[in-house]
Amino acid sequence: MLKDINIVLGVTGGIAAYKACDVVSRFKKLGANIDVIMTKSATEMVNPHTFQVLSQNPVIVDTFTTPRYWDIEHISLAQKADVLLIAPATANIIGKVANGIADDMLSTTIMASTSKIIFAPAMNTKMYDNKIVQQNIEKLISLGYKFINPSSGRLACGDVGKGKLADVDNIVEVVKNIIKPNSDLEGKKILITAGPTRESIDPVRFITNHSSGKMGYSLAKAAFERGADVTLVSGPTQLSSPKGVKLINVNTTLEMYDAVMSNYKEQDIIIKSAAVSDYRPEIVSTNKIKKSDGNLNLTLVRNPDILKELGILKENRILIGFAAESQDVIQNAKSKISRKNLDFIVANNIKEEGAGFGSDTNIVQIINKNGEIEKIAKSNKIEIANRILDKVNEFFK
Ligand code: PMT
């Protein structure tokens, strides 16, 4: 299923435009939201009303009559799209994009988009084989654009050769794999904790740490993309909720404890990447603490160790902890595996450049119960998250 996925379909003016109707209805049946942009020449082939009925969304037709409207609309569609599919894609649209021309709704949307862009070309064989078209395709591929090769056969113009729009089945499959490259966690329930906790001292101050939430949010995003049903319990962060994820916001360790404990039972996998405060002030002053000449002593009391408690209640669940260490990384991480009854732990040395708190990257060592260590060199947190989920998936094989 493609629930919560937004596809923007650009239809350009080839005879194969009628096949795009089938593409729309297939994605609708898979649960995706689909917005259609038609070039002016595409409307000569298929009536926009057909796409409107099939997509159940207004169709954007490029008539150049409402430039103010499309000027705003192309940005919002470009941002909204998880994937932008151009099917059929004529030599004209391929040429425009390859050469940085943005002069209508579709080409401006493509240009403004940072999502995955896929072209499914369809045109006359000789046009397709034309060196300029091939160079444009090569250029776009080298820039990261994806292509679904046309198939061979008898074309509408009577020629026989390559240039037929790829089978709709093939187009749908390629797009599905690009959106959800791996659905190995389909049907699995996963709870992830992320971010810091905040322990109030008074209405003004609190004790916290440097966690940005990026590691945990990357895990949540990657797990959702791999088909899992994701619950994310998050301390305060600046991040927006990953799509498709059930987000539970908390502040304190006790709130995180409650949220985890009321959700752990139905989970298959629990990953605790949050940086949790082990202590909280014994007394939270109701008023701002005023300074005086002497020192101020705060008494801190122990917070519950959420991961340790989960280790006791573990049963068949897969339980993964993180270890944020600044010394004796392996030794400290290994002792947490046994103390907290974990399947494995992800250790990061927070003193290393590009690892741990705040950065977009991490450098980790995954240590299992047998003490085996897998090192993952500096990579972005999404990549690290996927490597952790690969390990999780091995438990189900
Ligand atoms: O959020 P980012 O900026 O992306 O940074 C990522 C990170 C550095 C926070 C992350 O990679 C990480 O290391 N998270 C664990 C931080 C931590 O609290 O480690 P710890 O060694 O103190 O705790 C060990 C484990 O016990 C952790 O899984 C922690 O969530 C858990 N714990 C700790 C204390 C406590 N009272 N309850 C817990 O459940």
Side-chain angles (χ1 to χ4, degrees), residues 193 195 210-216 253 272-278 302-308 320-325 336 340 345-346 348 350 356-359 362 381:
T193 67
H210 295 291
S211 173
S212 63
K214 286 179 186 170
M215 191 64 248
T253 302
K272 284 224 72 249
S273 69
V276 183
S277 178
D278 285 316
R302 277 299 304 263
N303 267 327
D305 187 326
I306 308 169
L307 189 55
K308 196 170 173 194
I320 299 142
F322 267 71
E325 305 293 345
K336 285 176 185 163
K340 304 195 184 197
I345 197 156
V346 182
N348 41 199
I350 51 164
F357 295 114
S359 58
N362 208 349
K381 283 180 174 167

Side-chain angles (χ1 to χ4, degrees), residues 2 20 27 40 49 83 135 187 194 214 221 297 299 332 344 354:
L2 297 177
F27 283 125
K40 189 168 186 303
H49 191 63
V83 67
Q135 276 173 10
K214 286 179 186 170
K221 182 173 188 288
N297 292 316
T299 303
N332 287 334
F344 65 80

Side-chain angles (χ1 to χ4, degrees), residues 86-107:
I86 301 100
T90 55
N92 185 48
I93 189 72
I94 293 168
K96 274 190 194 177
V97 180
N99 292 287
I101 298 167
D103 64 351
D104 61 11
M105 180 67 189
L106 181 57
S107 51

Side-chain angles (χ1 to χ4, degrees), residues 123-176:
M123 66 195 80
N124 167 273
T125 306
K126 293 188 185 72
M127 280 177 80
Y128 185 69
D129 286 340
N130 185 298
K131 280 208 175 101
I132 298 171
V133 173
Q134 285 303 317
Q135 276 173 10
N136 285 337
I137 291 175
E138 273 165 33
K139 182 175 175 184
L140 289 172
I141 289 172
S142 75
L143 291 170
Y145 294 80
K146 307 269 181 234
F147 276 78
I148 305 174
N149 286 338
S151 56
S152 296
R154 192 176 176 282
L155 305 176
C157 57
D159 279 2
V160 177
K162 207 167 182 184
K164 268 169 78 97
L165 183 70
D167 276 356
V168 172
D169 280 351
N170 187 12
I171 293 176
V172 171
E173 232 16 69
V174 172
V175 174
K176 266 168 64 185

